[in-house]
Amino acid sequence: MGRLVPAVTRAFDVLELFLEGDGTLSAPEITRRLQLPRTTTHELVTTLTARNYLVPVPEQPGRYRLGVRTYQLGSRYAEQLDLAAEGHQVARDVADTCGETVHVAVLEAMDVIYIAKVDSTHAVRMVSAAGRRLPAHCTAVGKMLLATLPEAELDERLDGYELTGMTPRSITAPDALRAALAEIRILGVAGEQQESNPDVSCVAAPVRDRTGRVVAALSVSVPVHRWSEGRENELTALAVKGANELSERLGHRIAH
């Protein structure tokens, strides 16, 4: 790796300060927070403003906010994102950590479509596959995604839809599904106990894009003979961590 350029590093330090608080800062605040000489801060702010990375706030003299150039760069980054490719990379990392099967899926009508899958290091019979479609109400990823829909949209999707089961433990009654989704909204994660596969349990967490909208869900699936309350808690935390990482790759800011 080559040598870091101090002036460029400081310029990025300045820009990243604007990701916090109300998004506006004065030169003295930048000086104090980065412990920079006042002359250096002045030169950095002047240069960044000349290049439209910072702009003065008209109604607040002496204060600055991010300029249009940062938006253009962010938009170009977003345009180049591939959810499936990014999802597969994160799923691979999660699977390497836990040794279990990891999925990333999106919602279409009342089905989920798996856009990424990394298999367990153990031999596991799964009903899922990348590109395959399954009933959302029978899967952890699907219930996670259904739980994020506005109530009116959920009603519209459920209207006239038959909740066909995949196993004896699948949810097949609309009221039971609504109750399960209400609990998922409170918990922020979803679970599935042998509802799509009689031999597998699963946990899932939501994936958000840069606007905060839920666009996918990431899950970890485990054979029931390796399932326990302790393992469920461990894998739930791992699914949340993976979903957050994928969200950050999509431009969403996670509060730490």
Side-chain angles (χ1 to χ4, degrees):
M1 179 181 291
R3 184 179 68 88
L4 297 180
V5 180
V8 176
T9 300
R10 292 191 189 104
F12 284 126
D13 287 341
V14 170
L15 290 174
E16 289 171 3
L17 285 179
F18 287 85
L19 296 175
E20 306 168 8
D22 67 356
T24 70
L25 289 166
S26 66
E29 288 172 334
I30 295 170
T31 297
R32 183 175 68 255
R33 293 176 65 173
L34 295 180
Q35 296 294 297
L36 294 173
R38 284 182 294 176
T39 301
T40 300
T41 299
H42 176 74
E43 292 173 346
L44 288 169
V45 170
T46 298
T47 301
L48 291 169
T49 301
R51 298 295 299 269
N52 290 321
Y53 286 92
L54 294 179
V55 294
V57 180
E59 63 276 16
Q60 298 178 346
R63 299 187 72 80
Y64 297 84
R65 59 176 172 79
L66 293 176
V68 68
R69 200 64 174 161
T70 56
Y71 174 78
Q72 291 171 332
L73 288 175
S75 297
R76 177 54 61 89
Y77 173 75
E79 289 170 2
Q80 294 175 345
L81 282 176
D82 182 332
L83 177 57
E86 298 291 337
H88 188 271
Q89 290 184 35
V90 173
R92 170 62 63 192
D93 292 342
V94 175
D96 286 346
T97 301
C98 65
E100 305 294 355
T101 301
V102 181
H103 299 93
V104 178
V106 296
L107 185 67
E108 184 176 285
M110 284 296 292
D111 291 338
V112 289
I113 300 174
Y114 293 93
I115 61 172
K117 178 186 178 183
V118 177
D119 288 313
S120 169
T121 54
H122 310 278
V124 184
R125 182 181 67 83
M126 302 291 294
V127 296
S128 59
R132 185 173 182 185
R133 179 188 298 262
L134 289 179
H137 66 282
C138 294
T139 68
V141 284
K143 289 189 290 182
M144 185 71 256
L145 292 167
L146 289 174
T148 67
L149 295 176
E151 200 67 34
E153 184 175 349
L154 178 63
D155 290 342
E156 183 177 345
R157 295 193 188 206
L158 282 174
D159 185 29
Y161 181 80
E162 182 180 358
L163 298 173
T164 304
M166 295 183 68
T167 76
R169 301 193 65 161
S170 300
I171 297 174
T172 56
D175 287 346
L177 178 60
R178 291 181 189 281
L181 298 182
E183 183 177 4
I184 290 168
R185 292 186 196 102
I186 294 172
L187 296 176
V189 293
E192 173 213 327
Q193 304 294 326
Q194 302 161 267
E195 296 168 46
S196 64
N197 183 331
D199 302 316
V200 173
S201 292
C202 186
V203 291
V207 175
R208 301 178 184 274
D209 67 10
R210 62 190 179 89
T211 70
R213 182 173 64 93
V214 174
V215 293
L218 181 146
S219 68
V220 182
S221 300
V222 187
V224 292
H225 67 268
R226 287 202 299 275
W227 187 257
S228 66
E229 182 177 351
R231 187 63 167 158
E232 179 181 6
N233 292 337
E234 176 187 347
L235 295 177
T236 297
L238 192 58
V240 170
K241 181 180 179 181
N244 285 347
E245 180 182 340
L246 182 51
S247 297
E248 289 185 326
R249 287 180 178 230
L250 298 178
H252 181 62
R253 291 187 61 208
I254 305 296
H256 294 287

